Amino acid sequence: MPFETKATITSFGGKLFKLSHPSSTTTTPMAVNLYLPPSALSSSTTPVPLLIYLSGLTCTPENCSEKGFFQHRASQLGLAILYPDTSPRGLNYPGETDSWDFGAGAGFYINATQSPWNVGYKMQDYITHELPQVLFSDPEYGKYIDSSRVSITGHSMGGHGALTLYLKNKGTYKSVSAFAPICNPSNCPWGQKAFSGYLGADNKEEWKKNDATELIKSQEWKGEKDARILVDVGTADGFYEKGQLLPEKFEEAVKEAGVGGVKVRYQEGYDHSYYFMASFADEHVEWAAKNLGLL
Ligand SMILES: N[C@@H](CCC(=O)N[C@@H](CS)C(=O)NCC(=O)O)C(=O)O
């Protein structure tokens, strides 16, 4: 089914489209925003590459579209941005809306294995399979996108989502970047709560398959010299201070696996918010653009 266009908003010379489509993966309607830069919309040009942005806990497609400021540099460089939602909505599973860090708004970009979540909470399949297929084949929007040039990025839960989907699907995305990602969910409260609910408290092997710090040590990545991973963490991030992000664990794993081409940067004084995100948005868009052949 093609996208239904709910709104069109001019932004940095391009257009932000607020879209919706019925998803067979989540069994619900899904909201998604798409930004097309001016170069994509001018009739004389060829399709543009795509950056997928995965948002954090509690977010919808709106948070980053409104205050992430990705559109600023994406407009100049000729990059499309896709802002998906963070979970299915309205399934009415028991406990789905009881807390902000589990269920609605907290899908973690994994495929749940535990009932009832294993029916609709399949955000990994949704982001890697259904959503790109719907976009690339859409009669209105598909023609603007070069489906062979896609990168991925994200914030917090979405930063981890970006890292894991990149690591699980080597070659699908040209690069990855993450803002304040949860780096080692098996060892932090947010991750332990989500993985217990979605994957089962005792299924630690399943946890490892969904944890960026474990995935980077896999056979597929061990010894990789050009991993194309950029991570930024703010040193005044309260969630970093509380041990939710654990970037040092990821850095240790990178070292242990002998992986090159990974930059983890600690940005002095920045917190977890979109003030931090927006401050480095240009650099993350440039990172993707460079790896997508635009720079
Ligand atoms: N609701 C949580 C905060 C959750 C939170 O900070 N979410 C981040 C992602 S992990 C976010 O992007 N929130 C939405 C926003 O800042 O617009 C709290 O009260 O501590």
Side-chain angles (χ1 to χ4, degrees):
M1 284 272 277
F3 288 126
E4 184 186 339
T5 306
K6 304 277 195 183
T8 304
I9 297 163
T10 302
S11 175
F12 291 101
K15 299 275 183 207
L16 183 86
F17 301 93
K18 297 193 179 190
L19 309 171
S20 172
H21 72 109
S23 164
S24 56
T25 308
T26 66
T27 72
T28 62
M30 291 296 285
V32 55
N33 289 350
L34 173 68
Y35 178 70
L36 293 179
S39 62
L41 295 161
S42 71
S43 56
S44 59
T45 49
T46 47
V48 297
L50 177 72
L51 178 61
I52 300 174
Y53 170 82
L54 303 181
S55 218
L57 291 162
T58 73
C59 291
T60 68
E62 304 306 319
N63 299 64
C64 193
S65 309
E66 286 177 0
K67 56 185 181 177
F69 289 92
F70 277 60
Q71 282 112 239
H72 169 252
R73 201 73 181 108
S75 157
Q76 296 169 338
L77 295 172
L79 185 61
I81 315 233
L82 191 66
Y83 302 98
D85 206 346
T86 50
S87 75
R89 305 271 171 185
L91 284 166
N92 295 319
Y93 295 156
E96 193 181 10
T97 54
D98 287 357
S99 50
W100 58 268
D101 53 5
F102 185 77
F108 266 82
Y109 308 101
I110 60 177
N111 291 334
T113 58
Q114 302 300 293
S115 178
W117 311 99
N118 57 350
V119 179
Y121 278 68
K122 294 193 289 199
M123 288 301 287
Q124 176 178 318
D125 283 354
Y126 174 70
I127 300 290
T128 56
H129 290 113
E130 186 180 11
L131 181 58
Q133 271 167 21
V134 170
L135 173 62
F136 300 151
S137 64
D138 187 85
E140 176 71 27
Y141 300 105
K143 61 179 179 282
Y144 295 118
I145 312 293
D146 178 352
S147 62
S148 69
R149 286 192 294 162
V150 181
S151 279
I152 193 160
T153 183
H155 173 224
S156 196
M157 170 185 74
H160 184 256
L163 288 171
T164 52
L165 298 187
Y166 180 77
L167 295 170
K168 286 176 184 180
N169 299 283
K170 200 170 188 186
T172 298
Y173 308 104
K174 303 291 182 204
S175 62
V176 65
S177 74
F179 300 83
I182 300 169
C183 287
N184 187 197
S186 308
N187 287 313
C188 77
W190 274 339
Q192 287 164 344
K193 179 172 177 177
F195 283 9
S196 295
Y198 296 134
L199 304 174
D202 298 326
N203 292 342
K204 294 287 156 57
E205 280 311 305
E206 217 32 58
W207 289 30
K208 280 190 183 172
K209 289 187 214 157
N210 289 285
D211 186 319
T213 292
E214 297 295 334
L215 287 165
I216 195 84
K217 292 187 279 191
S218 68
Q219 238 13 72
E220 240 186 324
W221 286 92
K222 222 173 239 176
E224 168 66 55
K225 291 293 164 244
D226 186 21
R228 302 184 184 208
I229 298 173
L230 170 66
V231 174
D232 274 318
V233 182
T235 60
D237 182 327
F239 294 118
Y240 170 47
E241 288 161 357
K242 282 190 193 122
Q244 295 281 22
L245 308 182
L246 305 174
E248 293 87 358
K249 293 277 181 211
F250 184 67
E251 285 186 287
E252 277 166 30
V254 166
K255 209 169 159 195
E256 186 188 321
V259 175
V262 180
K263 277 187 248 182
V264 179
R265 310 187 302 191
Y266 293 86
Q267 304 291 0
E268 196 57 37
Y270 286 91
D271 65 13
H272 195 72
S273 73
Y274 274 84
Y275 291 109
F276 160 61
M277 289 268 307
S279 301
F280 296 95
D282 278 2
E283 287 183 40
H284 284 240
V285 170
E286 280 168 18
W287 168 257
K290 196 172 136 229
N291 286 295
L292 292 163
L294 289 173
L295 273 174

